[in-house]
Coordinates of all heavy atoms in Angstrom, one line a residue:
G124 N 7.8 28.2 -40.5 CA 7.1 27.6 -39.4 C 6.4 26.4 -39.7 O 6.5 25.9 -40.9
L125 N 5.7 25.8 -38.8 CA 4.9 24.5 -39.0 C 3.6 24.9 -39.6 O 2.9 25.8 -39.2 CB 4.8 23.7 -37.7 CG 6.2 23.3 -37.1 CD1 5.9 22.5 -35.8 CD2 7.0 22.4 -38.1
N126 N 3.1 24.0 -40.5 CA 1.7 24.1 -41.0 C 0.9 23.1 -40.3 O 1.1 21.9 -40.4 CB 1.7 23.9 -42.5 CG 2.6 24.8 -43.3 OD1 2.5 26.0 -43.0 ND2 3.4 24.4 -44.2
N127 N -0.1 23.6 -39.5 CA -1.0 22.7 -38.8 C -2.0 22.1 -39.7 O -2.8 22.8 -40.3 CB -1.6 23.4 -37.6 CG -0.6 23.7 -36.5 OD1 0.3 22.9 -36.2 ND2 -0.7 24.9 -35.9
L128 N -2.1 20.8 -39.8 CA -3.1 20.1 -40.6 C -3.7 19.0 -39.7 O -3.5 17.8 -39.9 CB -2.4 19.4 -41.8 CG -1.6 20.3 -42.7 CD1 -0.8 19.5 -43.7 CD2 -2.5 21.3 -43.5
S129 N -4.5 19.4 -38.7 CA -5.1 18.5 -37.8 C -4.0 17.8 -37.0 O -3.3 18.4 -36.3 CB -6.1 17.6 -38.5 OG -6.7 16.7 -37.6
N130 N -3.9 16.5 -37.2 CA -2.9 15.7 -36.5 C -1.6 15.6 -37.4 O -0.7 14.8 -37.1 CB -3.3 14.3 -36.1 CG -4.3 14.4 -34.9 OD1 -4.3 15.3 -34.2 ND2 -5.0 13.3 -34.7
F131 N -1.6 16.4 -38.4 CA -0.5 16.4 -39.4 C 0.3 17.7 -39.2 O -0.3 18.7 -39.0 CB -0.9 16.2 -40.8 CG -1.6 14.9 -41.1 CD1 -3.0 14.7 -40.9 CD2 -0.8 13.8 -41.5 CE1 -3.6 13.5 -41.2 CE2 -1.4 12.6 -41.8 CZ -2.8 12.4 -41.6
Q132 N 1.6 17.7 -39.4 CA 2.4 18.9 -39.4 C 3.4 18.7 -40.5 O 4.1 17.7 -40.6 CB 3.1 19.1 -38.1 CG 2.1 19.6 -37.0 CD 2.9 20.0 -35.7 OE1 4.0 19.7 -35.5 NE2 2.2 20.7 -34.9
V133 N 3.6 19.8 -41.3 CA 4.6 19.8 -42.3 C 5.8 20.4 -41.6 O 5.8 21.5 -41.1 CB 4.3 20.7 -43.5 CG1 5.5 20.8 -44.5 CG2 3.1 20.1 -44.2
I134 N 6.9 19.6 -41.5 CA 8.1 20.0 -40.8 C 9.0 20.8 -41.7 O 9.7 21.7 -41.3 CB 8.8 18.8 -40.2 CG1 8.0 18.1 -39.2 CG2 10.1 19.2 -39.5 CD1 7.6 18.9 -38.0
K135 N 9.1 20.3 -43.0 CA 10.0 20.9 -44.0 C 9.4 20.7 -45.3 O 8.9 19.7 -45.6 CB 11.4 20.3 -43.9 CG 12.4 20.9 -44.8 CD 13.7 20.3 -44.7 CE 14.8 21.0 -45.4 NZ 14.6 21.4 -46.8
T136 N 9.4 21.8 -46.1 CA 9.1 21.6 -47.5 C 10.4 21.5 -48.3 O 11.4 21.9 -47.9 CB 8.3 22.9 -48.1 OG1 9.1 24.0 -47.8 CG2 7.0 23.0 -47.3
D137 N 10.3 20.8 -49.5 CA 11.5 20.6 -50.3 C 12.3 19.4 -49.8 O 11.8 18.7 -48.8 CB 12.4 21.8 -50.4 CG 13.2 21.8 -51.7 OD1 13.0 21.0 -52.5 OD2 14.1 22.7 -51.8
S138 N 13.4 19.1 -50.3 CA 14.2 17.9 -50.0 C 15.0 18.1 -48.7 O 15.3 19.2 -48.3 CB 15.0 17.5 -51.2 OG 16.0 18.5 -51.5
G139 N 15.4 17.0 -48.2 CA 16.3 17.0 -47.0 C 16.5 15.6 -46.5 O 16.2 14.6 -47.2
T140 N 17.0 15.5 -45.3 CA 17.2 14.1 -44.7 C 16.7 14.1 -43.2 O 17.0 15.1 -42.5 CB 18.7 13.8 -44.6 OG1 19.2 13.9 -46.0 CG2 19.0 12.5 -44.0
L141 N 15.9 13.1 -42.9 CA 15.4 12.9 -41.6 C 16.6 12.2 -40.9 O 16.9 11.1 -41.1 CB 14.2 12.0 -41.5 CG 13.8 11.5 -40.1 CD1 13.4 12.6 -39.2 CD2 12.6 10.5 -40.3
G142 N 17.3 13.0 -40.0 CA 18.5 12.5 -39.4 C 18.2 11.5 -38.2 O 18.5 10.3 -38.3
S143 N 17.5 12.0 -37.2 CA 17.2 11.2 -36.1 C 16.0 11.7 -35.3 O 15.6 12.9 -35.5 CB 18.4 11.0 -35.1 OG 18.8 12.3 -34.6
V144 N 15.6 10.9 -34.4 CA 14.5 11.3 -33.4 C 15.1 11.0 -32.0 O 15.4 9.9 -31.8 CB 13.2 10.6 -33.7 CG1 12.2 11.0 -32.6 CG2 12.7 11.0 -35.1
V145 N 15.1 12.0 -31.2 CA 15.6 11.8 -29.8 C 14.4 11.8 -28.9 O 13.7 12.8 -28.8 CB 16.6 13.0 -29.4 CG1 17.1 12.7 -28.0 CG2 17.7 13.0 -30.4
I146 N 14.1 10.7 -28.3 CA 13.0 10.6 -27.4 C 13.5 10.8 -26.0 O 14.4 10.1 -25.5 CB 12.3 9.2 -27.4 CG1 11.9 8.8 -28.9 CG2 11.2 9.1 -26.4 CD1 10.8 9.7 -29.4
T147 N 13.0 11.8 -25.3 CA 13.4 12.1 -23.9 C 12.4 11.8 -22.9 O 12.6 11.8 -21.7 CB 13.8 13.6 -23.8 OG1 12.7 14.4 -24.2 CG2 15.1 13.9 -24.6
G148 N 11.1 11.5 -23.4 CA 10.1 11.1 -22.5 C 9.0 10.3 -23.2 O 8.4 10.8 -24.2
A149 N 9.0 9.0 -22.9 CA 8.1 8.1 -23.6 C 6.6 8.5 -23.3 O 6.3 9.1 -22.3 CB 8.3 6.7 -23.1
N150 N 5.7 8.1 -24.3 CA 4.3 8.3 -24.1 C 3.6 7.3 -25.0 O 4.2 6.5 -25.7 CB 3.9 9.8 -24.5 CG 2.8 10.3 -23.6 OD1 2.0 9.6 -23.1 ND2 2.9 11.6 -23.3
T151 N 2.2 7.4 -25.0 CA 1.4 6.4 -25.7 C 1.2 6.7 -27.1 O 0.5 6.0 -27.8 CB 0.1 6.2 -24.9 OG1 -0.6 7.5 -24.9 CG2 0.3 5.7 -23.5
G152 N 1.7 7.8 -27.6 CA 1.4 8.2 -29.0 C 2.3 7.6 -30.0 O 3.4 7.0 -29.7
I153 N 1.9 7.6 -31.3 CA 2.6 7.1 -32.4 C 2.9 8.3 -33.4 O 2.1 9.1 -33.6 CB 1.8 6.0 -33.2 CG1 1.5 4.9 -32.2 CG2 2.5 5.6 -34.4 CD1 0.5 3.9 -32.8
I154 N 4.2 8.3 -33.9 CA 4.6 9.3 -34.8 C 5.0 8.6 -36.1 O 5.8 7.7 -36.1 CB 5.7 10.2 -34.3 CG1 5.5 10.8 -32.9 CG2 6.0 11.3 -35.3 CD1 6.7 11.4 -32.3
T155 N 4.4 9.1 -37.2 CA 4.7 8.5 -38.5 C 5.3 9.7 -39.4 O 4.7 10.7 -39.5 CB 3.5 7.9 -39.2 OG1 3.0 6.9 -38.3 CG2 3.9 7.2 -40.5
F156 N 6.4 9.4 -40.1 CA 7.0 10.4 -40.9 C 6.8 10.0 -42.4 O 7.0 8.9 -42.8 CB 8.6 10.5 -40.7 CG 8.9 10.9 -39.3 CD1 9.0 10.0 -38.2 CD2 9.1 12.2 -39.0 CE1 9.3 10.4 -36.9 CE2 9.4 12.7 -37.7 CZ 9.5 11.7 -36.7
F157 N 6.4 11.0 -43.2 CA 6.2 10.8 -44.6 C 7.0 11.7 -45.5 O 7.3 12.9 -45.1 CB 4.7 11.1 -44.9 CG 3.7 10.2 -44.3 CD1 3.1 10.5 -43.1 CD2 3.4 8.9 -44.8 CE1 2.2 9.7 -42.4 CE2 2.5 8.1 -44.1 CZ 1.9 8.5 -43.0
D158 N 7.3 11.3 -46.7 CA 7.9 12.1 -47.7 C 6.8 12.7 -48.4 O 6.2 12.2 -49.4 CB 8.8 11.3 -48.6 CG 9.5 12.1 -49.7 OD1 9.3 13.3 -49.8 OD2 10.2 11.5 -50.5
A159 N 6.3 13.9 -48.0 CA 5.1 14.5 -48.5 C 4.9 15.9 -47.9 O 5.6 16.2 -46.9 CB 3.8 13.7 -48.2
T160 N 4.1 16.7 -48.5 CA 3.7 18.0 -48.0 C 2.2 18.2 -47.9 O 1.7 19.2 -47.5 CB 4.3 19.2 -48.8 OG1 3.8 19.1 -50.1 CG2 5.8 19.2 -48.7
S161 N 1.5 17.1 -48.2 CA 0.0 17.1 -48.2 C -0.5 15.7 -47.9 O 0.2 14.7 -48.2 CB -0.5 17.6 -49.6 OG -1.9 17.5 -49.7
T162 N -1.7 15.7 -47.5 CA -2.4 14.4 -47.2 C -3.3 14.0 -48.4 O -4.0 13.0 -48.3 CB -3.1 14.3 -45.9 OG1 -4.1 15.4 -45.9 CG2 -2.1 14.5 -44.7
V163 N -3.3 14.8 -49.4 CA -4.2 14.5 -50.6 C -3.7 13.2 -51.2 O -2.5 13.0 -51.4 CB -4.0 15.7 -51.6 CG1 -4.8 15.3 -52.9 CG2 -4.5 17.0 -51.1
T164 N -4.7 12.3 -51.5 CA -4.4 11.0 -52.1 C -4.6 11.0 -53.6 O -5.7 10.9 -54.0 CB -5.1 9.9 -51.4 OG1 -6.5 10.2 -51.4 CG2 -4.7 9.7 -50.0
N165 N -3.6 11.2 -54.3 CA -3.6 11.1 -55.8 C -2.2 10.8 -56.2 O -1.2 11.0 -55.5 CB -4.3 12.2 -56.5 CG -3.5 13.5 -56.4 OD1 -2.3 13.6 -56.5 ND2 -4.3 14.6 -56.1
T166 N -2.0 10.5 -57.5 CA -0.6 10.1 -58.0 C 0.3 11.3 -57.8 O 1.5 11.1 -57.4 CB -0.7 9.6 -59.4 OG1 -1.6 8.5 -59.5 CG2 0.6 9.2 -59.9
A167 N -0.1 12.5 -58.1 CA 0.8 13.6 -58.1 C 1.3 13.9 -56.7 O 2.4 14.5 -56.5 CB 0.1 14.8 -58.7
W168 N 0.5 13.6 -55.7 CA 0.9 13.9 -54.3 C 1.1 12.6 -53.4 O 0.9 12.7 -52.2 CB -0.2 14.8 -53.6 CG -0.3 16.1 -54.2 CD1 -1.1 16.6 -55.2 CD2 0.6 17.2 -53.9 NE1 -0.8 17.9 -55.5 CE2 0.2 18.3 -54.7 CE3 1.7 17.4 -53.0 CZ2 0.9 19.5 -54.6 CZ3 2.3 18.6 -52.9 CH2 1.9 19.6 -53.8
A169 N 1.4 11.5 -54.1 CA 1.5 10.3 -53.3 C 2.6 10.5 -52.3 O 3.6 11.1 -52.5 CB 1.9 9.2 -54.3
S170 N 2.4 9.8 -51.1 CA 3.3 10.0 -50.0 C 4.0 8.6 -49.8 O 3.5 7.6 -50.1 CB 2.6 10.4 -48.7 OG 1.7 9.4 -48.3
T171 N 5.2 8.7 -49.2 CA 6.0 7.5 -48.9 C 6.3 7.5 -47.4 O 6.7 8.5 -46.9 CB 7.3 7.5 -49.7 OG1 7.1 7.6 -51.1 CG2 8.2 6.3 -49.4
T172 N 6.0 6.4 -46.7 CA 6.3 6.3 -45.3 C 7.8 6.2 -45.1 O 8.4 5.3 -45.7 CB 5.6 5.1 -44.7 OG1 4.2 5.3 -44.9 CG2 5.9 5.1 -43.2
L173 N 8.4 7.1 -44.4 CA 9.8 7.0 -44.1 C 10.2 6.3 -42.8 O 11.2 5.5 -42.8 CB 10.4 8.5 -44.0 CG 10.2 9.4 -45.2 CD1 10.7 10.8 -44.9 CD2 11.0 8.8 -46.4
A174 N 9.4 6.5 -41.8 CA 9.7 5.9 -40.5 C 8.5 6.1 -39.6 O 7.6 6.9 -39.8 CB 10.9 6.6 -39.8
Q175 N 8.5 5.2 -38.5 CA 7.4 5.3 -37.5 C 8.0 5.1 -36.1 O 8.8 4.2 -35.9 CB 6.3 4.3 -37.8 CG 5.1 4.5 -36.9 CD 4.0 3.6 -37.3 OE1 4.1 2.4 -37.2 NE2 2.9 4.2 -37.8
I176 N 7.6 5.9 -35.2 CA 8.0 5.8 -33.8 C 6.8 5.2 -33.1 O 5.7 5.7 -33.0 CB 8.3 7.2 -33.2 CG1 9.4 7.9 -33.9 CG2 8.6 7.0 -31.7 CD1 10.7 7.3 -33.8
P177 N 6.9 3.9 -32.6 CA 5.8 3.3 -32.0 C 5.5 3.8 -30.6 O 6.3 4.5 -30.0 CB 6.3 1.8 -31.9 CG 7.8 1.9 -31.8 CD 8.1 3.1 -32.6
A178 N 4.3 3.5 -30.1 CA 3.9 3.9 -28.8 C 4.8 3.4 -27.7 O 5.3 2.3 -27.8 CB 2.5 3.5 -28.5
S179 N 5.0 4.2 -26.6 CA 5.8 3.8 -25.5 C 7.2 3.4 -25.7 O 7.8 2.6 -25.0 CB 5.1 2.6 -24.7 OG 3.7 3.0 -24.4
L180 N 7.8 3.9 -26.8 CA 9.2 3.7 -27.1 C 10.1 4.3 -26.0 O 9.8 5.4 -25.6 CB 9.6 4.3 -28.5 CG 10.9 4.0 -29.0 CD1 11.0 2.5 -29.3 CD2 11.2 4.8 -30.3
V181 N 11.1 3.6 -25.5 CA 11.9 4.0 -24.4 C 12.8 5.2 -24.9 O 13.1 5.4 -26.1 CB 12.8 2.9 -23.9 CG1 12.0 1.8 -23.3 CG2 13.8 2.4 -24.9
A182 N 13.2 6.0 -23.9 CA 14.0 7.2 -24.2 C 15.3 6.7 -24.9 O 15.9 5.7 -24.6 CB 14.3 7.9 -22.9
G183 N 15.7 7.5 -25.9 CA 17.0 7.2 -26.6 C 17.0 8.0 -27.9 O 16.1 8.7 -28.3
T184 N 18.1 7.8 -28.6 CA 18.3 8.4 -29.9 C 18.1 7.4 -31.0 O 18.8 6.3 -31.0 CB 19.7 9.1 -30.1 OG1 19.8 10.1 -29.0 CG2 19.9 9.7 -31.4
Y185 N 17.2 7.6 -32.0 CA 16.9 6.7 -33.0 C 17.3 7.3 -34.3 O 16.7 8.3 -34.8 CB 15.4 6.3 -33.0 CG 15.1 5.6 -31.7 CD1 14.7 6.4 -30.6 CD2 15.2 4.3 -31.5 CE1 14.4 5.8 -29.3 CE2 15.0 3.7 -30.3 CZ 14.6 4.4 -29.2 OH 14.3 3.8 -28.0
V186 N 18.3 6.8 -35.0 CA 18.9 7.3 -36.2 C 18.2 6.7 -37.4 O 18.1 5.5 -37.5 CB 20.4 7.1 -36.2 CG1 21.0 7.6 -37.5 CG2 21.1 7.8 -35.0
F187 N 17.8 7.6 -38.3 CA 17.2 7.1 -39.6 C 18.0 7.4 -40.8 O 18.1 6.6 -41.7 CB 15.8 7.7 -39.7 CG 14.9 7.2 -38.6 CD1 14.6 8.0 -37.5 CD2 14.3 5.9 -38.6 CE1 13.8 7.6 -36.5 CE2 13.5 5.5 -37.6 CZ 13.2 6.3 -36.5
D188 N 18.5 8.6 -40.9 CA 19.3 9.1 -42.1 C 18.6 8.7 -43.4 O 19.1 8.1 -44.3 CB 20.7 8.5 -42.1 CG 21.6 9.1 -41.0 OD1 21.3 10.3 -40.7 OD2 22.5 8.5 -40.5
V189 N 17.3 9.1 -43.5 CA 16.5 8.8 -44.6 C 16.2 10.1 -45.4 O 15.8 11.1 -44.9 CB 15.1 8.2 -44.2 CG1 14.2 7.9 -45.4 CG2 15.3 6.9 -43.4
V190 N 16.5 10.0 -46.7 CA 16.3 11.2 -47.6 C 14.9 11.3 -48.0 O 14.2 10.3 -48.3 CB 17.2 11.0 -48.9 CG1 16.9 12.1 -49.9 CG2 18.7 11.0 -48.4
F191 N 14.3 12.5 -48.0 CA 13.0 12.8 -48.6 C 13.2 13.9 -49.7 O 14.1 14.7 -49.6 CB 12.0 13.2 -47.5 CG 12.5 14.4 -46.6 CD1 12.2 15.7 -47.0 CD2 13.2 14.1 -45.4 CE1 12.7 16.8 -46.2 CE2 13.6 15.2 -44.6 CZ 13.3 16.5 -45.0
T192 N 12.3 13.8 -50.7 CA 12.4 14.7 -51.8 C 11.3 15.8 -51.9 O 11.5 16.9 -52.3 CB 12.4 14.0 -53.1 OG1 11.2 13.2 -53.2 CG2 13.6 13.1 -53.2
K193 N 10.1 15.4 -51.4 CA 8.9 16.3 -51.5 C 8.8 17.3 -50.3 O 8.5 18.4 -50.4 CB 7.6 15.5 -51.6 CG 7.5 14.7 -52.8 CD 6.3 13.8 -52.7 CE 6.3 12.9 -53.9 NZ 5.4 11.7 -53.7
G194 N 9.1 16.7 -49.1 CA 9.0 17.5 -47.9 C 8.9 16.5 -46.8 O 8.8 15.3 -47.0
L195 N 8.8 17.0 -45.5 CA 8.7 16.1 -44.4 C 7.4 16.4 -43.7 O 7.3 17.5 -43.1 CB 9.9 16.2 -43.4 CG 9.9 15.2 -42.3 CD1 9.9 13.7 -42.7 CD2 11.1 15.5 -41.4
L196 N 6.5 15.4 -43.6 CA 5.2 15.6 -43.0 C 5.1 14.5 -41.9 O 5.5 13.4 -42.1 CB 4.1 15.4 -44.0 CG 2.7 15.4 -43.4 CD1 1.8 16.4 -44.3 CD2 2.0 14.1 -43.5
I197 N 4.7 15.0 -40.7 CA 4.5 14.0 -39.6 C 3.0 13.9 -39.3 O 2.2 14.8 -39.4 CB 5.3 14.3 -38.3 CG1 4.8 15.6 -37.7 CG2 6.8 14.4 -38.6 CD1 5.4 15.8 -36.3
D198 N 2.6 12.7 -38.9 CA 1.3 12.3 -38.4 C 1.4 11.8 -37.0 O 2.2 10.9 -36.8 CB 0.7 11.3 -39.4 CG -0.7 10.7 -38.8 OD1 -1.3 11.4 -38.0 OD2 -1.0 9.6 -39.2
F199 N 0.7 12.4 -36.1 CA 0.8 11.9 -34.7 C -0.6 11.6 -34.2 O -1.6 12.2 -34.5 CB 1.5 13.0 -33.8 CG 0.8 14.3 -33.8 CD1 -0.2 14.6 -32.9 CD2 1.3 15.2 -34.7 CE1 -0.7 15.9 -32.9 CE2 0.7 16.5 -34.8 CZ -0.3 16.8 -33.9
T200 N -0.6 10.4 -33.5 CA -1.9 10.0 -32.9 C -1.6 9.7 -31.5 O -0.5 9.2 -31.1 CB -2.4 8.7 -33.6 OG1 -1.4 7.7 -33.6 CG2 -2.8 9.0 -35.1
G201 N -2.5 10.0 -30.6 CA -2.3 9.7 -29.2 C -1.5 10.8 -28.6 O -1.3 11.9 -29.1
A202 N -0.9 10.5 -27.4 CA -0.1 11.5 -26.7 C 1.3 11.4 -27.1 O 2.0 10.4 -26.9 CB -0.2 11.2 -25.2
M203 N 1.8 12.4 -27.8 CA 3.1 12.4 -28.4 C 4.2 12.3 -27.3 O 4.1 13.0 -26.2 CB 3.4 13.6 -29.2 CG 2.7 13.6 -30.6 SD 3.3 14.9 -31.7 CE 5.0 14.6 -31.8
P204 N 5.3 11.6 -27.6 CA 6.4 11.6 -26.6 C 7.1 12.9 -26.7 O 7.1 13.6 -27.7 CB 7.3 10.4 -27.1 CG 6.9 10.3 -28.6 CD 5.5 10.7 -28.7
T205 N 7.8 13.2 -25.6 CA 8.7 14.4 -25.6 C 9.9 14.0 -26.5 O 10.6 13.0 -26.3 CB 9.2 14.7 -24.2 OG1 8.1 14.9 -23.4 CG2 10.1 16.0 -24.2
S206 N 10.0 14.8 -27.6 CA 11.0 14.4 -28.6 C 11.6 15.6 -29.3 O 11.1 16.7 -29.4 CB 10.4 13.4 -29.6 OG 9.3 14.0 -30.2
T207 N 12.8 15.3 -29.9 CA 13.5 16.3 -30.8 C 13.7 15.6 -32.1 O 14.2 14.5 -32.1 CB 14.8 16.8 -30.2 OG1 14.5 17.3 -28.9 CG2 15.5 17.7 -31.1
I208 N 13.4 16.3 -33.2 CA 13.6 15.7 -34.6 C 14.8 16.5 -35.2 O 14.8 17.7 -35.2 CB 12.3 15.9 -35.4 CG1 11.2 15.2 -34.7 CG2 12.6 15.4 -36.8 CD1 9.8 15.5 -35.3
T209 N 15.8 15.7 -35.7 CA 16.9 16.4 -36.4 C 16.8 16.2 -37.9 O 16.4 15.1 -38.4 CB 18.2 15.8 -35.9 OG1 18.4 14.5 -36.3 CG2 18.4 16.0 -34.4
L210 N 17.1 17.2 -38.6 CA 17.0 17.2 -40.1 C 18.4 17.7 -40.6 O 19.1 18.4 -39.9 CB 16.0 18.2 -40.6 CG 14.6 18.0 -40.1 CD1 13.7 19.2 -40.6 CD2 14.0 16.7 -40.5
R211 N 18.6 17.3 -41.8 CA 19.9 17.8 -42.5 C 19.5 18.2 -43.9 O 18.5 17.8 -44.5 CB 20.9 16.7 -42.6 CG 21.6 16.5 -41.3 CD 22.6 15.4 -41.4 NE 22.0 14.3 -40.6 CZ 22.4 13.1 -40.7 NH1 23.4 12.8 -41.4 NH2 21.9 12.2 -39.9

């Protein structure tokens, strides 16, 4: 399941690939994807920004095919768009 961390959610622990984000309903929120499982800031838990979905992005499929090794954590601010996240 998802781990709720305020505006952060761990989507997957361990390695994988962020395949794509399918936006079916635009909104004013921003979604940022990180290679991380925690928001702790230190060298052992450093996070890498993988991708960001800007506010009011039009409906469509946005392919990233970005590999992550620690896990996939998302940070959302504002009103999230209606979306589907694909992983591999």
